């Protein structure tokens, strides 16, 4: 029997696409380097920006892993620092050591406390996975709320809510813990992927799951890795510190409302055909019986993460949150909840560690070269005469909707957040604390708008239960709802509180 042959042009087309994606960052950077330096900006600052844009393009197309792209950008800038990073005045100083200062800048991101907090929180996620405590939490909710499709939607939402404060990777939380559980549920209803029967219940459950993780990613500072990056960028750009508690209070009314209404909205706008089924709670009970009683390590993990949460909220004045996370990781290692091989073998954690460290250095470089301050002045001129309230809405709309151009919340945060903050800082009367909170809490919910908007999106999009047209349609509807809620509920609340 002959096997179907791949079209002759397919391999060549694939190689050409990969070649273009690899060349795009360099081409964009070179084109920007050739553009005349804008008035009022130092040449080295414009050249730094050109390389920075090349890195962002690389993060969007990802011809190589994000960490490699970021590391490449840092190395290129450090090697060419006399033209890209340092001013003529710095270079003219006899005490200035170019080689040493270039290296110091290149590795500066690795000493950033936010980067270490992200790394420590990834270890928490490893603890959830290894002890299977995350799976247990989700199954308990399904057991008690899974008889009806609507309450099952709430069970999925609350399962993600319970894990969110301790899981900085929404991909690990939703894609690694929630999705493997709920993928077992649709077949109990005769709902199959890539089949008309998907609408029986599978489509509804998958949409609720991705929507829930987007909301919860905005609810907690520690629920999405770019949130922590945004925290560092806010501090370096406008000098404002946002605590875990401030973030939570700022988004609480809006987040609570969305979490309580979203499963019902999905039930109305994307209704499951099956409304009631008694098999789901029984299945969850069987799975819980297989897990058995709470193990020693699960109990220890629960104690440790609660200890970390208490320190993050109440003890930040005497212990740096990153050090609190590392303390808990150390306790997990000494008690056997995790082993050292779990640390060294955690590729996503190390990948994210390198990635974020390089992005922090690159973002700080935009500020130290003077590019951000110049951009703020230029943007301020464009926004001059606009009332602070109007400017807040306009800038928030631009920041939110530009996410359509990004396949990474991290890239979006790195590229746009410092620029938008700098522009806002030039507007007289602008409440910068409120504006910063609006921007950073939008990072999670904006992930709903596209099938590539946040880490778990491709997982649910590829599940076979969410057809392309449905995903884009629902993404537009729910994205608009979330944006409207930010403007009409979140903005007034934050103004009142801060």
């Amino acid at each position: 029997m002959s096997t179907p042959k791949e079209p002759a042009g397919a391999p060549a087309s694939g190689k050409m696409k990969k070649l273009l994606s690899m060349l795009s960052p360099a081409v964009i950077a070179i084109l920007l380097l050739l553009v005349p330096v804008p008035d009022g900006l130092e040449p080295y600052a414009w050249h730094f920006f050109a390389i920075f844009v090349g890195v962002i393009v690389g993060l969007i197309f990802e011809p190589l892993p994000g960490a490699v792209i970021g590391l490449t950008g840092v190395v290129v800038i450090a090697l060419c620092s006399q033209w890209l990073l340092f001013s003529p005045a710095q270079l003219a100083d006899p005490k200035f050591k170019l080689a040493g200062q270039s290296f110091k800048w290149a590795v500066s991101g690795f000493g950033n406390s936010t980067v270490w907090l992200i790394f420590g929180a990834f270890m928490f996620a490893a603890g959830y996975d290894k002890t299977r405590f995350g799976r247990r939490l989700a199954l308990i909710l399904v057991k008690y709320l899974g008889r009806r499709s609507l309450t099952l939607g709430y069970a999925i939402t609350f399962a993600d809510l319970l894990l969110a404060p301790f899981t900085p990777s929404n991909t690990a939380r939703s894609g690694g813990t929630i999705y493997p559980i709920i993928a077992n549920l649709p077949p109990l209803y005769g709902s199959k992927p890539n089949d008309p029967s998907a609408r029986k219940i599978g489509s509804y459950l998958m949409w609720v799951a991705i929507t829930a993780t987007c909301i919860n990613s905005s609810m907690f500072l520690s629920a999405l890795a770019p949130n922590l990056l945004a925290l560092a960028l806010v501090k370096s750009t406008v000098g404002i510190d946002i605590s875990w508690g401030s973030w939570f209070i700022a988004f609480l009314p809006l987040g609570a409302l969305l979490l309580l209404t979203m499963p019902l909205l999905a039930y109305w706008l994307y209704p499951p055909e099956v409304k009631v089924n008694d098999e789901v709670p029984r299945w969850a009970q069987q799975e819980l019986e297989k897990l058995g009683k709470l193990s020693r390590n699960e109990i220890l993990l629960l104690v440790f993460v609660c200890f970390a949460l208490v320190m993050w909220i109440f003890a930040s004045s005497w212990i740096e949150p990153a050090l609190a996370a590392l303390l808990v990781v150390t306790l997990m290692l000494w008690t056997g909840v995790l082993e050292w091989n779990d640390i060294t073998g955690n590729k996503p954690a190390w990948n994210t560690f390198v990635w974020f460290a390089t992005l922090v250095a690159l973002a700080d470089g935009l500020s130290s070269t003077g590019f951000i301050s110049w951009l703020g002045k230029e943007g301020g001129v464009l926004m001059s005469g606009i009332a602070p309230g109007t400017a807040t809405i306009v800038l928030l709309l631009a920041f939110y909707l530009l996410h359509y151009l990004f396949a990474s919340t991290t890239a979006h945060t790195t590229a746009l957040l410092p620029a938008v903050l700098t522009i806002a800082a030039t507007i007289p009367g602008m409440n910068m604390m409120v504006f910063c909170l609006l921007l950073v809490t939008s990072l999670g919910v904006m992930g709903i708008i596209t099938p590539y908007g946040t880490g778990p999106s491709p997982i649910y999009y590829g599940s076979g239960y969410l057809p392309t047209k449905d995903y884009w349609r629902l993404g537009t509807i729910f994205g608009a709802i979330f944006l409207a809620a930010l403007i009409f509920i979140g903005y007034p609340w934050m103004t009142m509180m801060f």
Side-chain angles (χ1 to χ4, degrees):
M1 180 185 293
S2 62
T3 56
K5 293 184 178 180
E6 200 174 85
S13 175
K15 288 180 180 178
M16 180 59 69
K17 186 176 180 181
K18 174 135 190 204
L19 181 61
L20 287 173
S21 67
M22 292 192 77
L23 290 176
S24 294
V27 170
I28 296 297
I30 291 170
L31 288 175
L32 283 173
L33 286 170
L34 296 175
V35 171
V37 179
D39 292 336
L41 187 64
E42 293 288 343
Y44 74 97
W46 177 253
H47 298 157
F48 183 99
F49 173 70
I51 304 301
F52 178 83
V53 171
V55 171
I56 297 302
V57 171
L59 292 177
I60 294 172
F61 289 103
E62 281 203 322
L64 293 171
V68 177
I69 301 296
L71 188 61
T72 302
V74 165
V75 170
V76 167
I77 289 172
L79 288 173
C80 305
S81 57
Q82 64 188 101
W83 302 289
L84 301 174
L85 187 61
F86 301 117
S87 68
Q90 288 174 299
L91 295 172
D93 186 347
K95 296 180 180 179
F96 186 81
K97 306 297 182 184
L98 179 62
Q101 290 300 319
S102 298
F103 178 77
K104 184 178 179 180
W105 172 82
V107 298
S108 61
F110 292 93
N112 185 281
S113 61
T114 303
V115 174
W116 281 101
L117 178 57
I118 293 170
F119 179 78
F122 263 95
M123 296 305 107
F124 287 16
Y128 271 100
D129 183 54
K130 185 170 184 178
T131 62
R132 308 189 81 187
F133 184 59
R135 178 177 177 83
R136 183 186 297 276
L137 288 176
L139 286 171
I140 289 171
L141 288 173
V142 169
K143 173 185 174 181
Y144 291 105
L145 297 173
R147 182 172 177 268
R148 296 181 179 276
S149 300
L150 180 59
T151 54
L152 185 55
Y154 279 100
I156 293 169
T157 301
F158 293 142
D160 192 274
L161 176 65
L162 285 176
L163 297 175
F166 319 108
T167 317
S169 168
N170 61 358
T171 306
R173 178 176 76 248
S174 190
T177 301
I178 302 297
Y179 175 76
I181 295 173
I182 66 173
N184 293 284
L185 302 181
L188 298 175
Y189 295 87
S191 183
K192 300 175 184 177
N194 300 307
D195 187 83
S197 63
R199 285 300 305 273
K200 284 187 175 181
I201 194 173
S203 299
Y204 170 73
L205 295 182
M206 296 300 168
W207 183 251
V208 167
I210 184 58
T211 311
T213 200
C214 289
I215 297 170
N216 287 321
S217 294
S218 280
M219 178 74 86
F220 305 102
L221 167 61
S222 49
L224 182 69
N227 288 352
L228 297 159
L229 174 63
L231 203 70
L233 294 178
V234 167
K235 185 174 182 179
S236 65
T237 306
V238 293
I240 291 177
D241 281 307
I242 299 175
S243 67
W244 197 100
S246 296
W247 183 301
F248 180 69
I249 291 170
F251 197 75
L252 179 59
L254 174 57
L257 178 64
L258 291 178
L259 288 173
L260 290 173
T261 58
M262 179 274 301
L264 184 60
L265 283 173
Y267 195 79
W268 289 338
L269 298 173
Y270 202 46
E273 295 172 1
V274 177
K275 310 297 184 184
V276 181
N277 189 287
D278 293 320
E279 290 297 320
V280 176
R282 283 198 284 267
W283 172 82
Q285 175 63 34
Q286 292 169 1
E287 292 298 307
L288 283 168
E289 288 172 0
K290 291 178 186 177
L291 286 178
K293 295 181 179 180
L294 271 173
S295 67
R296 165 190 173 275
N297 284 355
E298 284 180 283
I299 294 171
L300 284 172
L301 177 67
L302 178 60
V303 171
F304 291 154
V305 295
C306 289
F307 180 46
L309 187 58
V310 168
M311 286 192 290
W312 287 342
I313 298 173
F314 300 109
S316 59
S317 61
W318 61 271
I319 182 169
E320 171 70 34
L323 184 57
L326 291 176
L327 170 60
V328 170
V329 171
T330 303
L331 292 173
M332 287 196 285
L333 288 168
W334 275 94
T335 55
V337 173
L338 287 177
E339 296 177 354
W340 184 241
N341 286 339
D342 297 319
I343 305 290
T344 58
N346 195 322
K347 291 182 180 179
W350 289 109
N351 178 66
T352 304
F353 179 75
V354 175
W355 187 9
F356 275 66
T358 57
L359 289 176
V360 166
L362 289 166
D364 282 346
L366 277 179
S367 179
S368 65
T369 58
F371 181 85
I372 293 296
S373 60
W374 170 83
L375 183 65
K377 290 177 184 177
E378 295 299 312
V381 171
L382 292 175
M383 298 291 288
S384 62
I386 298 179
T390 304
T392 297
I393 302 300
V394 170
L395 290 173
L396 175 62
L397 284 169
F399 185 73
Y400 190 95
L401 295 176
L402 282 171
H403 193 58
Y404 275 103
L405 304 179
F406 292 89
S408 162
T409 309
T410 302
H412 180 116
T413 304
T414 307
L416 296 183
L417 184 60
V420 175
L421 287 174
T422 305
I423 293 170
T426 66
I427 299 171
M430 179 73 82
N431 186 331
M432 285 305 297
M433 183 65 176
V434 170
F435 184 70
C436 290
L437 286 168
L438 276 172
L439 290 191
V440 297
T441 56
S442 73
L443 292 172
V445 292
M446 69 172 59
I448 197 63
I449 61 178
T450 66
Y452 52 82
T454 190
S457 299
I459 297 172
Y460 291 100
Y461 177 59
S463 67
Y465 288 102
L466 294 170
T468 301
K469 64 176 183 179
D470 288 356
Y471 203 115
W472 281 99
R473 176 175 61 85
L474 292 168
T476 300
I477 294 170
F478 278 75
I481 291 171
F482 292 169
L483 179 57
L486 264 173
I487 293 172
F488 296 109
I489 298 173
Y491 184 23
W493 166 257
M494 293 177 198
T495 302
M496 181 176 68
M497 295 302 295
F498 301 97

